Amino acid sequence: MSKHTALPESELSLAALRGDCARMAPHWRAPVKSAPAPVKPSLISGVTVPPSSARLIDAMSEYGD
C-alpha cells in the first residue's frame, strides 16, 4: 500500500493549478492552422434539413424581435 495519499480536490488551489499549466504550456504547441480553401457555390448542393429541425427554426423568433 502506498504511503502517499492524494489531496482532496477541495484542498487543491487554483493558483497551484495555474502554476502547473504555466509550466506545461511550453511543451504543448498547437499546429499552425491554415485557412480553409473556399468552396465554389456550384459544388454546394443537396442540402437537406430534417423536418424536426425545420420546425425548430420556424418556431424561433426573427432576429431583432
Side-chain angles (χ1 to χ4, degrees), residues 41-50:
S42 62
L43 296 176
I44 302 173
S45 64
V47 176
T48 58
V49 178

Side-chain angles (χ1 to χ4, degrees), residues 20-55:
D20 291 343
C21 291
R23 284 189 296 280
M24 290 303 298
H27 300 286
W28 299 328
R29 296 286 180 211
V32 177
K33 289 186 177 181
S34 60
V39 176
K40 293 190 284 185
S42 62
L43 296 176
I44 302 173
S45 64
V47 176
T48 58
V49 178
S52 59
S53 295
R55 284 193 304 274

